[in-house]
Amino acid sequence: TPTQDQNAHPAECTNNLYYLNDITIQDGSVIQAGTTIQKQWQVKNSGSCNWNSTYTIQLISGEGMGAASPQSIVPARGGAEGIITIAFIAPDQAGNYTSTWQAFDPAGHAFGDFFSIQINVSAP
């Protein structure tokens, strides 16, 4: 009889995230320095695994702009759409800023499309 791996999933599933669109704060938006902003992206869980509290989103490049990384991903069943929301604080210095994020599975592997916010901070 084959031995069952205690850590194996009962059924193997695939992780994927498909970026659909920006809901708030379009790329290139002018934001006043120090302003707290809520960025939202519409995404689809295009894999067969259900996202739960063991799944995270993490900053992979650019500026954190005060957002915690990692943080929990929005729960979504395989095939369902969801909205990812991150609170950012516009930097105090004027300029262009980009923050790019990606989803990670419970084992810490990145998967799916990345998503980002790109803002132009105006002087305080």
Side-chain angles (χ1 to χ4, degrees):
T1 343
T3 56
Q4 191 73 3
D5 181 349
Q6 294 298 323
N7 295 325
H9 294 284
E12 284 301 316
C13 60
T14 56
N15 286 306
N16 205 6
L17 178 148
Y18 181 70
Y19 162 85
L20 294 169
N21 64 306
D22 294 332
I23 296 174
T24 61
I25 320 292
Q26 299 303 307
D27 284 351
S29 293
V30 176
I31 308 291
Q32 189 172 351
T35 302
T36 299
I37 49 180
Q38 295 277 337
K39 173 67 180 190
Q40 293 184 319
W41 300 267
Q42 186 170 15
V43 298
K44 181 174 183 171
N45 178 346
S46 54
S48 58
C49 297
N50 298 327
W51 300 338
N52 57 31
S53 61
T54 64
Y55 283 77
T56 61
I57 51 174
Q58 298 179 32
L59 177 68
I60 59 168
S61 72
E63 298 285 329
M65 295 190 282
S69 176
Q71 54 184 285
S72 295
I73 197 171
V74 59
R77 297 186 69 76
E81 292 183 10
I83 296 172
I84 293 174
T85 304
I86 300 178
F88 293 100
I89 301 168
D92 291 334
Q93 300 295 317
N96 292 310
Y97 295 90
T98 301
S99 185
T100 305
W101 295 71
Q102 194 167 15
F104 285 76
D105 71 13
H109 300 112
F111 66 90
D113 293 343
F114 63 84
F115 43 96
S116 62
I117 178 173
Q118 181 184 349
I119 60 171
N120 182 355
V121 174
S122 61

